[in-house]
Amino acid sequence: MPQLDVATYLTQYRWTLITLFLLFSLLVTSILPTIKTNWLIRRSVMGGWATQGPSGGSGLKKEVVAIWKDLD
C-alpha cells in the first residue's frame, strides 16, 4: 500500500509542514494586521461598545478619525 510507504509518508509530511508554515506566515504578516487596523478604527469611531445614547440613538461619535484626517 503506497500510504504506508515511508518515503511517501515523509514527503507528504514535509509538504504539509511547509504549507502550514506558509499559511501561518501569511496570516501573521498580512491578515491579522489588517483585522487589527479595522478593529482600531471601529473602536475609535464607536467609542468602545455600540450602546444606545440617552436620546435613543446609536450613540455614535460624528467626529473624523485621526487616521482619516491624513488622507484628505
Side-chain angles (χ1 to χ4, degrees), residues 50-69:
T51 59
Q52 294 223 342
S55 63
S58 63
L60 293 177
K61 295 180 181 178
K62 303 287 184 191
E63 60 192 59
V64 178
V65 181
I67 294 174
W68 298 109
K69 288 181 183 178

Side-chain angles (χ1 to χ4, degrees), residues 20-32:
L20 289 175
F21 176 75
L22 290 175
L23 285 173
F24 180 76
S25 300
L26 175 71
L27 180 76
V28 168
T29 59
S30 177
I31 297 171
L32 287 178

